[in-house]
């Protein structure tokens, strides 16, 4: 048996609990913090999977930068409190759609989990050092990498154009 | 601020601050060291004496009457030739100033007919309790001049009949 | 489980050293700042004021711990902890001395990234303290903290990238080794002066220390996010700030001042710890000196300085460094 299994089960439980907390919390700040916790659990799972680079990037990019911005904006707008039981007008279609889509995603995940044959021999852990990640990003995956960077650039330019004072 | 300013002016600022380290600290360690007060500073009260050691205060309580803060309490006692504290009939048996009430206005000085009470540049009243801030006569009285006996003194009859000495004092040898 | 035991023991010793260091850093700051302002500083508690931290600690422990009405209780109590923990765990990757005896996890190959990540997460405590306090000043302080840290994190990350390029490793132990060859000129502060300057500036901004202490600007925000905190909770904020000061100084020493390296470390390994401590104290003194010299920046200037000066210069520095390494310029290969 995998010695990491109890830790993985615990991490999974925390992950699910924080995801539920994110969904059910009526306070946007708490929701954001549950998401941070979820990212943190994800980082620990990456660590267990022998991928410290991804783990640290997860923490520094998502928890350290993006979620700080989220919290900043929520605080700046003072929009942390949701009025109970009321949804903003024009969003009534969103809830059933979200349930349907997440059901689809979950079904897909379960299908992949059970339908795929597990490999007979455990694959050797891939080299996940920063060097290896960098080489594969600029080697076999250079095209998607550049596409993503162009996409991010477009988004940045768009944000600047949208917020510019005339 | 341009790069030139950053490279020239900020180091000047750092150097200026560093030079201060070489300077002697200006701090005065208060209870142990005290800054000398100006000679004309009007601080705590002192009860004065004549050159012969007698107290100037005659217990008239005009200071208490003049005090806007009602900080002074005077109780007079009778002088005799055997136990003389001050010239004239009466002296201050009790003389108390409540330093918490005193506003250091100096009206007592103005009211005093014998110049007995004077605001002097001496240490300022401090204390931990209200009681300790009531200064008694012993604390306020100046010590007698060197080689002069303190009060009470035994005095020849008739010499100190007047409470307020004529000014300038009459030299009886003439 | 000897590995676990060893790690626990080392962490305990490190914690003890850090917390004592924190206590005496407060005294050192007050003393040095006093001398820089022609004052004497605390000298009443014990000989030369050496028991002052103890007196401060006792005072804070016995202070009434006020919880203001209308605070968000869970967050209000969690915020001080969230300030202290990141400051402490930064030390996991910093090599204190030569050899595995004085290192905890400094050989992991993502050490530099770990530093950036933890520095980024450290802002949550301050932001949440500001939000949970139900106080306008505190909220403004929290907002300023998050904006400031996001803006300056970029510059700091990019200056670390230059260091990582120089050492061709993100492990802090390797970064120290890369500065070892030969003389003092091997230190990255001489080979990467721009990165060193940017790291120093951004580190002070992330610490929210003068001249970047807009987060707790006493005059405008009445101590900002700390306004509603008292007693031990306040002491925790203080501890977080000062431990982070030590951590950042240790990082600067590791990245730019050759870490624990110095003469005769191979013969006497304990000397490496001494050298490291001296370098850290030098950085701390520089920080205090800066606090005594420079006035607080204006908020818009702070933002435009971070985004329009530091970040572009840091990016340019990374590009130039990469070019120098590719071209094989002596000292950069």
């Amino acid at each position: 048996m995998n010695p990491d299994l109890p830790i993985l089960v615990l991490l999974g439980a925390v992950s699910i609990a924080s995801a539920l907390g994110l969904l059910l919390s009526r306070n946007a700040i708490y929701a954001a913090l549950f998401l941070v916790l979820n990212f943190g659990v994800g980082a620990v799972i990456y660590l267990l999977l022998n991928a410290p680079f991804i783990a640290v990037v997860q923490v520094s990019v998502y928890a350290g930068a993006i979620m700080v911005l989220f919290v900043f904006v929520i605080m700046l707008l003072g929009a942390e409190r949701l009025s109970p039981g009321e949804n903003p007008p024009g969003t009534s279609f969103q809830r059933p759609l979200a349930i349907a889509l997440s059901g689809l995603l979950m079904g897909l995940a379960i299908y992949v989990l059970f339908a795929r044959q597990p490999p007979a021999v455990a694959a050797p852990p891939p080299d996940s050092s920063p060097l290896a990640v960098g080489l594969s990003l600029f080697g076999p995956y250079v095209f998607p990498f550049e596409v993503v960077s162009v996409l991010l650039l477009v988004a940045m330019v768009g944000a600047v154009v949208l917020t510019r004072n005339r | 601020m341009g790069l030139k300013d950053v490279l020239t002016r900020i180091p000047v600022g750092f150097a200026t601050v560093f030079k201060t380290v070489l300077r002697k600290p200006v701090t005065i360690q208060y209870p142990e060291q005290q800054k000398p007060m100006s000679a004309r500073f009007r601080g705590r009260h002192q009860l004065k004496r004549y050159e012969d050691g007698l107290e100037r205060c005659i217990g008239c309580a005009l200071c208490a009457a003049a005090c806007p803060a009602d900080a002074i309490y005077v109780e007079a006692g009778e002088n005799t030739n055997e136990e003389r504290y001050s010239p004239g009939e009466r002296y201050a048996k009790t003389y108390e100033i409540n330093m918490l009430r005193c506003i250091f206005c100096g009206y007592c000085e103005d009211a005093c007919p014998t110049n007995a009470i004077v605001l002097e540049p001496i240490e300022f009243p401090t204390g931990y309790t209200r009681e300790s801030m009531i200064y008694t006569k012993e604390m306020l009285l100046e010590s007698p001049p060197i080689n002069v006996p303190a009060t009470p003194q035994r005095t020849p009859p008739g010499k100190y009949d007047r409470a307020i000495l004529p000014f300038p004092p009459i030299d009886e040898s003439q | 489980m000897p590995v676990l035991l060893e790690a626990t023991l080392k962490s305990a010793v490190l914690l003890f050293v850090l917390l004592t260091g924190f206590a005496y850093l407060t005294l050192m700051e007050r003393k040095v700042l006093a001398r820089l302002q022609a004052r004497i500083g605390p000298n009443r508690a014990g000989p030369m004021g050496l028991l002052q931290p103890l007196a401060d600690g006792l005072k804070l422990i016995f202070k009434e711990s006020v919880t203001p009405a209308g605070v968000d209780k869970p967050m209000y109590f969690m915020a001080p902890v969230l300030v202290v923990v990141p400051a402490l765990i930064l030390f996991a990757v910093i090599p204190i001395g030569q050899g595995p005896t004085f290192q905890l996890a400094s050989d992991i190959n993502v050490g530099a990234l770990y530093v950036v990540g933890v520095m980024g997460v450290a802002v949550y405590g301050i932001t949440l303290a500001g939000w949970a306090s139900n106080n306008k000043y505190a909220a403004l302080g929290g907002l300023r903290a998050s904006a400031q840290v996001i803006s300056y994190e970029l510059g700091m990350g990019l200056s670390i990238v230059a260091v990582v390029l120089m050492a061709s490793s993100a492990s802090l132990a390797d970064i120290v080794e890369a500065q070892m060859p030969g003389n003092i000129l091997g230190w990255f502060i001489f080979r990467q002066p721009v990165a060193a300057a940017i790291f120093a500036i951004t580190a002070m901004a992330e610490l929210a220390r003068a001249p970047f202490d807009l987060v707790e600007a006493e005059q405008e925000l009445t101590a900002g996010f700390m306004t509603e905190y008292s007693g031990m909770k306040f002491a925790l904020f203080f501890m977080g700030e000062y431990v982070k000061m030590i951590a950042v100084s240790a990082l600067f020493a590791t990245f730019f001042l050759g870490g624990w390296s110095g003469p005769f470390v191979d013969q006497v390994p304990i000397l490496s710890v001494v050298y490291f401590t001296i370098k850290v104290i030098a950085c701390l003194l520089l920080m205090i000196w800066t606090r005594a010299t420079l006035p607080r920046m204006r908020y818009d200037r702070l933002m435009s300085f971070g985004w329009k000066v530091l970040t572009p210069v840091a990016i340019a520095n990374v590009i130039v460094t990469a070019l120098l390494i590719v071209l094989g310029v002596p000292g950069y290969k």
Side-chain angles (χ1 to χ4, degrees):
Chain A
M1 199 181 95
N2 190 340
D4 290 340
L5 194 62
I7 306 178
L8 271 176
V9 169
L10 184 73
L11 286 174
V14 176
S15 174
I16 291 171
S18 59
L20 284 177
L22 159 70
L23 282 177
L24 301 176
S25 139
R26 303 297 291 177
N27 186 322
I29 293 259
Y30 276 77
L33 290 176
F34 275 123
L35 191 52
V36 173
L37 180 61
N38 202 323
F39 286 146
V41 173
V44 179
I45 292 176
Y46 286 134
L47 269 184
L48 285 179
L49 294 176
N50 214 0
F53 180 74
I54 310 286
V56 178
V57 166
Q58 164 104 349
V59 169
S60 64
V61 172
Y62 284 104
I66 294 182
M67 288 318 292
V68 173
L69 267 180
F70 265 62
V71 172
F72 176 75
V73 171
I74 295 170
M75 273 174 67
L76 196 65
L77 300 180
E80 63 261 27
R81 302 226 176 274
L82 230 64
S83 51
E86 256 180 68
N87 289 322
T91 59
S92 51
F93 70 94
Q94 284 184 354
R95 187 169 288 185
L97 188 65
I99 290 173
L101 283 178
S102 48
L104 190 67
L105 184 67
M106 194 183 259
L108 204 64
I110 291 172
Y111 171 75
V112 169
L113 195 65
F114 286 103
R116 231 183 58 183
Q117 285 295 330
V121 186
D127 185 7
S128 61
S129 67
L131 184 70
V133 172
L135 282 178
S136 53
L137 269 186
F138 286 99
Y141 299 106
V142 67
F143 182 69
F145 182 75
E146 292 301 331
V147 168
V148 167
S149 61
V150 169
L151 190 66
L152 286 175
L153 185 67
V154 169
M156 263 164 68
V157 172
V160 170
V161 168
L162 283 177
T163 54
R164 204 171 54 137
N165 283 329
R166 284 178 197 284
Chain B
M1 212 157 80
L3 185 66
K4 193 167 157 266
D5 288 340
V6 172
L7 293 181
T8 55
R9 295 195 191 166
I10 287 185
V12 172
F14 273 87
T16 308
V17 172
F18 186 75
K19 272 183 219 144
T20 321
V21 178
L22 311 172
R23 235 168 70 190
K24 200 170 162 286
V26 295
T27 313
I28 292 169
Q29 296 284 311
Y30 169 62
E32 293 92 32
Q33 302 169 8
Q34 281 179 29
K35 197 178 160 189
M37 285 187 220
S38 149
R40 296 174 64 176
F41 184 73
R42 287 150 58 106
R44 207 199 79 186
H45 315 68
Q46 199 172 37
L47 287 174
K48 295 291 184 187
R49 290 176 190 268
Y50 291 108
E51 281 165 15
D52 55 10
L54 286 183
E55 299 161 14
R56 279 176 177 262
C57 180
I58 53 173
C60 69
L62 278 174
C63 47
C67 183
D70 204 7
I72 306 182
Y73 173 72
V74 186
E75 211 174 82
E78 291 281 336
N79 276 321
T80 57
N81 280 328
E82 286 72 41
E83 277 195 26
R84 178 163 295 281
Y85 290 85
S86 64
E89 290 172 24
R90 301 198 300 168
Y91 72 101
K93 198 167 76 184
T94 312
Y95 194 102
E96 289 176 356
I97 301 180
N98 186 341
M99 292 295 177
L100 290 175
R101 298 193 70 154
C102 178
I103 58 172
F104 301 95
C105 62
Y107 284 4
C108 44
E109 244 180 341
D110 290 350
C112 187
T114 58
N115 286 340
I117 187 159
V118 180
L119 296 177
E120 288 284 7
I122 48 182
E123 93 281 7
F124 222 68
T126 50
Y128 287 107
T129 59
R130 285 168 185 276
E131 288 73 28
S132 70
M133 292 300 281
I134 296 174
Y135 274 48
T136 59
K137 189 181 167 191
E138 291 72 44
M139 299 156 87
L140 293 167
L141 195 63
E142 124 184 281
S143 48
I146 302 162
N147 295 331
V148 170
T151 46
Q153 296 178 0
R154 175 181 287 272
T155 53
K159 188 180 176 187
Y160 292 108
D161 283 349
R162 297 198 55 170
I164 299 172
L165 295 183
F167 186 81
I170 298 162
D171 191 347
E172 284 173 1
S173 64
Q174 282 180 347
Chain C
M1 286 269 158
V3 181
L4 202 58
L5 186 71
E6 192 197 333
T8 314
L9 271 178
K10 276 188 195 169
S11 308
V13 171
L14 192 62
L15 270 184
F16 175 76
V17 171
L18 277 183
L19 295 187
T20 320
F22 144 70
Y24 278 92
L25 177 58
T26 61
L27 181 67
M28 182 174 101
E29 164 150 51
R30 289 170 66 178
K31 278 274 193 192
V32 173
L33 205 57
R35 286 315 308 262
L36 288 170
Q37 295 167 344
R39 295 184 287 116
I40 293 178
N43 63 350
R44 295 278 149 172
M48 287 154 50
L50 282 177
L51 296 180
Q52 185 70 37
L54 192 72
D56 289 343
L58 280 178
K59 187 199 86 167
L60 284 170
I61 288 172
F62 288 112
K63 275 236 161 175
E64 183 186 1
S65 188
V66 182
T67 307
V71 299
D72 188 283
K73 281 235 173 87
M75 284 299 138
Y76 180 77
F77 289 109
M78 215 166 81
V81 181
L82 287 180
V83 169
V84 176
V85 170
L88 287 173
I89 62 174
L90 263 181
F91 279 91
V93 295
I94 300 177
I96 311 282
Q98 189 185 27
T101 326
F102 302 116
Q103 300 178 3
L104 210 53
S106 54
D107 53 343
I108 60 167
N109 59 6
V110 290
L113 269 168
Y114 172 89
V115 167
V116 177
V118 173
M119 292 292 265
V121 173
V123 73
Y124 278 110
I126 294 175
T127 311
L128 290 175
W131 175 76
S133 290
N134 190 30
N135 176 310
K136 289 188 181 68
Y137 294 123
L140 279 173
L143 279 177
R144 283 183 177 186
S146 40
Q148 183 173 328
V149 168
I150 293 171
S151 309
Y152 279 76
E153 207 178 43
L154 274 176
M156 173 180 262
L158 288 168
S159 68
I160 294 178
V161 165
V163 170
V164 171
L165 278 176
M166 294 291 295
S168 52
S169 166
S171 140
L172 268 62
D174 290 352
I175 288 175
V176 173
E177 300 276 349
Q179 302 177 61
M180 293 274 274
N183 49 24
I184 196 170
L185 289 176
W187 290 5
F188 283 161
I189 193 170
F190 300 112
R191 292 199 272 167
Q192 278 292 339
V194 179
I198 292 173
F199 185 88
I201 294 171
T202 51
M204 265 184 267
E206 297 241 336
L207 284 170
R209 273 184 68 79
F212 303 105
D213 55 344
L214 296 110
V215 171
E216 46 194 286
E218 291 86 356
Q219 290 84 358
E220 347 161 8
L221 293 185
T222 65
F225 63 95
M226 290 194 270
T227 306
E228 297 289 359
Y229 284 88
S230 56
M232 270 322 273
K233 297 198 288 292
F234 174 77
L236 278 182
F237 277 121
F238 223 70
M239 188 192 289
E241 186 181 329
Y242 279 86
V243 170
K244 218 162 130 193
M245 255 175 91
I246 304 176
V248 162
S249 302
L251 285 174
F252 190 83
T254 306
F255 285 149
F256 298 106
L257 301 181
W260 45 260
S261 63
F264 304 116
V265 282
D266 289 329
Q267 288 81 7
V268 193
I270 195 78
L271 264 182
S272 60
V273 182
V274 177
Y275 291 138
F276 188 72
T277 314
I278 291 172
K279 287 169 185 173
V280 169
I281 290 176
C283 295
L284 290 170
L285 285 175
L286 185 69
M287 247 188 254
I288 297 169
W289 188 9
T290 311
R291 176 178 167 184
T293 305
L294 297 178
R296 186 178 303 132
M297 280 178 99
R298 221 170 63 192
Y299 191 66
D300 58 329
R301 293 259 173 93
L302 175 92
M303 282 296 147
S304 63
F305 181 60
W307 285 107
K308 295 180 188 168
V309 179
L310 284 184
T311 311
V313 171
I315 293 176
N317 184 47
V318 169
I319 295 172
V320 170
T321 307
L323 270 179
L324 289 177
I325 291 173
V326 169
L327 296 177
V329 175
Y332 290 90
K333 188 57 217 154

PDB file of all heavy atoms in Angstrom, chain A residues 51-58 128-130 133-134, chain C residues 109-110 113:
ATOM      1  N   ALA A  51       6.338  16.749  -7.304  1.00  0.00           N
ATOM      2  CA  ALA A  51       6.422  17.851  -8.256  1.00  0.00           C
ATOM      3  C   ALA A  51       6.514  19.163  -7.494  1.00  0.00           C
ATOM      4  O   ALA A  51       5.584  19.972  -7.511  1.00  0.00           O
ATOM      5  CB  ALA A  51       5.211  17.847  -9.183  1.00  0.00           C
ATOM      6  N   PRO A  52       7.638  19.394  -6.796  1.00  0.00           N
ATOM      7  CA  PRO A  52       7.722  20.599  -5.964  1.00  0.00           C
ATOM      8  C   PRO A  52       7.628  21.887  -6.770  1.00  0.00           C
ATOM      9  O   PRO A  52       7.094  22.878  -6.286  1.00  0.00           O
ATOM     10  CB  PRO A  52       9.091  20.478  -5.275  1.00  0.00           C
ATOM     11  CG  PRO A  52       9.857  19.525  -6.097  1.00  0.00           C
ATOM     12  CD  PRO A  52       8.864  18.594  -6.710  1.00  0.00           C
ATOM     13  N   PHE A  53       8.121  21.849  -8.021  1.00  0.00           N
ATOM     14  CA  PHE A  53       8.076  23.071  -8.818  1.00  0.00           C
ATOM     15  C   PHE A  53       6.640  23.528  -9.034  1.00  0.00           C
ATOM     16  O   PHE A  53       6.275  24.672  -8.797  1.00  0.00           O
ATOM     17  CB  PHE A  53       8.774  22.830 -10.159  1.00  0.00           C
ATOM     18  CG  PHE A  53       8.788  24.029 -11.048  1.00  0.00           C
ATOM     19  CD1 PHE A  53       9.631  25.094 -10.758  1.00  0.00           C
ATOM     20  CD2 PHE A  53       7.969  24.110 -12.151  1.00  0.00           C
ATOM     21  CE1 PHE A  53       9.649  26.213 -11.573  1.00  0.00           C
ATOM     22  CE2 PHE A  53       7.985  25.230 -12.961  1.00  0.00           C
ATOM     23  CZ  PHE A  53       8.826  26.278 -12.674  1.00  0.00           C
ATOM     24  N   ILE A  54       5.779  22.567  -9.467  1.00  0.00           N
ATOM     25  CA  ILE A  54       4.376  22.906  -9.704  1.00  0.00           C
ATOM     26  C   ILE A  54       3.731  23.374  -8.398  1.00  0.00           C
ATOM     27  O   ILE A  54       2.939  24.328  -8.378  1.00  0.00           O
ATOM     28  CB  ILE A  54       3.615  21.683 -10.258  1.00  0.00           C
ATOM     29  CG1 ILE A  54       4.378  21.070 -11.426  1.00  0.00           C
ATOM     30  CG2 ILE A  54       2.217  22.068 -10.674  1.00  0.00           C
ATOM     31  CD1 ILE A  54       4.321  21.835 -12.671  1.00  0.00           C
ATOM     32  N   ALA A  55       4.090  22.689  -7.291  1.00  0.00           N
ATOM     33  CA  ALA A  55       3.484  23.037  -6.006  1.00  0.00           C
ATOM     34  C   ALA A  55       3.796  24.486  -5.657  1.00  0.00           C
ATOM     35  O   ALA A  55       2.900  25.261  -5.292  1.00  0.00           O
ATOM     36  CB  ALA A  55       4.017  22.102  -4.921  1.00  0.00           C
ATOM     37  N   VAL A  56       5.068  24.846  -5.773  1.00  0.00           N
ATOM     38  CA  VAL A  56       5.451  26.209  -5.371  1.00  0.00           C
ATOM     39  C   VAL A  56       4.862  27.232  -6.322  1.00  0.00           C
ATOM     40  O   VAL A  56       4.432  28.313  -5.905  1.00  0.00           O
ATOM     41  CB  VAL A  56       6.983  26.300  -5.294  1.00  0.00           C
ATOM     42  CG1 VAL A  56       7.396  27.691  -4.945  1.00  0.00           C
ATOM     43  CG2 VAL A  56       7.494  25.359  -4.243  1.00  0.00           C
ATOM     44  N   VAL A  57       4.801  26.889  -7.616  1.00  0.00           N
ATOM     45  CA  VAL A  57       4.194  27.823  -8.559  1.00  0.00           C
ATOM     46  C   VAL A  57       2.720  28.005  -8.232  1.00  0.00           C
ATOM     47  O   VAL A  57       2.188  29.119  -8.259  1.00  0.00           O
ATOM     48  CB  VAL A  57       4.394  27.310 -10.007  1.00  0.00           C
ATOM     49  CG1 VAL A  57       3.488  28.059 -10.956  1.00  0.00           C
ATOM     50  CG2 VAL A  57       5.841  27.483 -10.405  1.00  0.00           C
ATOM     51  N   GLN A  58       2.077  26.894  -7.875  1.00  0.00           N
ATOM     52  CA  GLN A  58       0.658  26.970  -7.493  1.00  0.00           C
ATOM     53  C   GLN A  58       0.469  27.969  -6.345  1.00  0.00           C
ATOM     54  O   GLN A  58      -0.405  28.830  -6.379  1.00  0.00           O
ATOM     55  CB  GLN A  58       0.195  25.570  -7.061  1.00  0.00           C
ATOM     56  CG  GLN A  58      -1.096  25.535  -6.299  1.00  0.00           C
ATOM     57  CD  GLN A  58      -2.242  25.053  -7.140  1.00  0.00           C
ATOM     58  OE1 GLN A  58      -2.096  24.934  -8.354  1.00  0.00           O
ATOM     59  NE2 GLN A  58      -3.355  24.783  -6.525  1.00  0.00           N
ATOM     60  N   SER A 128      10.636  16.539 -12.535  1.00  0.00           N
ATOM     61  CA  SER A 128       9.857  17.769 -12.434  1.00  0.00           C
ATOM     62  C   SER A 128      10.696  18.915 -11.884  1.00  0.00           C
ATOM     63  O   SER A 128      10.178  19.832 -11.274  1.00  0.00           O
ATOM     64  CB  SER A 128       8.649  17.553 -11.534  1.00  0.00           C
ATOM     65  OG  SER A 128       9.111  17.212 -10.251  1.00  0.00           O
ATOM     66  N   SER A 129      12.002  18.848 -12.100  1.00  0.00           N
ATOM     67  CA  SER A 129      12.837  19.954 -11.653  1.00  0.00           C
ATOM     68  C   SER A 129      12.553  21.172 -12.528  1.00  0.00           C
ATOM     69  O   SER A 129      12.040  21.029 -13.639  1.00  0.00           O
ATOM     70  CB  SER A 129      14.304  19.567 -11.744  1.00  0.00           C
ATOM     71  OG  SER A 129      14.651  19.416 -13.096  1.00  0.00           O
ATOM     72  N   PRO A 130      12.857  22.368 -12.046  1.00  0.00           N
ATOM     73  CA  PRO A 130      12.625  23.561 -12.873  1.00  0.00           C
ATOM     74  C   PRO A 130      13.282  23.448 -14.233  1.00  0.00           C
ATOM     75  O   PRO A 130      12.722  23.874 -15.239  1.00  0.00           O
ATOM     76  CB  PRO A 130      13.250  24.685 -12.040  1.00  0.00           C
ATOM     77  CG  PRO A 130      13.270  24.185 -10.658  1.00  0.00           C
ATOM     78  CD  PRO A 130      13.387  22.704 -10.736  1.00  0.00           C
ATOM     79  N   VAL A 133      11.135  21.195 -16.441  1.00  0.00           N
ATOM     80  CA  VAL A 133       9.898  21.884 -16.824  1.00  0.00           C
ATOM     81  C   VAL A 133      10.199  22.937 -17.879  1.00  0.00           C
ATOM     82  O   VAL A 133       9.493  23.057 -18.886  1.00  0.00           O
ATOM     83  CB  VAL A 133       9.245  22.504 -15.575  1.00  0.00           C
ATOM     84  CG1 VAL A 133       8.074  23.382 -15.989  1.00  0.00           C
ATOM     85  CG2 VAL A 133       8.790  21.427 -14.613  1.00  0.00           C
ATOM     86  N   GLY A 134      11.269  23.686 -17.668  1.00  0.00           N
ATOM     87  CA  GLY A 134      11.619  24.719 -18.633  1.00  0.00           C
ATOM     88  C   GLY A 134      11.947  24.143 -19.990  1.00  0.00           C
ATOM     89  O   GLY A 134      11.479  24.641 -21.013  1.00  0.00           O
TER      90      GLY A 134
ATOM     91  N   ASN C 109      15.270  22.166  -4.915  1.00  0.00           N
ATOM     92  CA  ASN C 109      15.651  22.910  -6.116  1.00  0.00           C
ATOM     93  C   ASN C 109      14.635  23.982  -6.496  1.00  0.00           C
ATOM     94  O   ASN C 109      14.699  24.529  -7.581  1.00  0.00           O
ATOM     95  CB  ASN C 109      15.878  21.950  -7.283  1.00  0.00           C
ATOM     96  CG  ASN C 109      14.634  21.140  -7.594  1.00  0.00           C
ATOM     97  OD1 ASN C 109      13.591  21.378  -7.004  1.00  0.00           O
ATOM     98  ND2 ASN C 109      14.741  20.208  -8.505  1.00  0.00           N
ATOM     99  N   VAL C 110      13.683  24.280  -5.608  1.00  0.00           N
ATOM    100  CA  VAL C 110      12.746  25.358  -5.900  1.00  0.00           C
ATOM    101  C   VAL C 110      12.778  26.395  -4.781  1.00  0.00           C
ATOM    102  O   VAL C 110      11.824  27.128  -4.578  1.00  0.00           O
ATOM    103  CB  VAL C 110      11.312  24.826  -6.078  1.00  0.00           C
ATOM    104  CG1 VAL C 110      11.204  24.035  -7.346  1.00  0.00           C
ATOM    105  CG2 VAL C 110      10.890  24.002  -4.899  1.00  0.00           C
ATOM    106  N   LEU C 113      11.828  30.024  -5.581  1.00  0.00           N
ATOM    107  CA  LEU C 113      10.401  30.159  -5.871  1.00  0.00           C
ATOM    108  C   LEU C 113       9.580  30.084  -4.599  1.00  0.00           C
ATOM    109  O   LEU C 113       8.599  30.809  -4.429  1.00  0.00           O
ATOM    110  CB  LEU C 113       9.973  29.037  -6.808  1.00  0.00           C
ATOM    111  CG  LEU C 113      10.062  29.337  -8.274  1.00  0.00           C
ATOM    112  CD1 LEU C 113       9.889  28.066  -9.046  1.00  0.00           C
ATOM    113  CD2 LEU C 113       8.988  30.324  -8.644  1.00  0.00           C
TER     114      LEU C 113
END
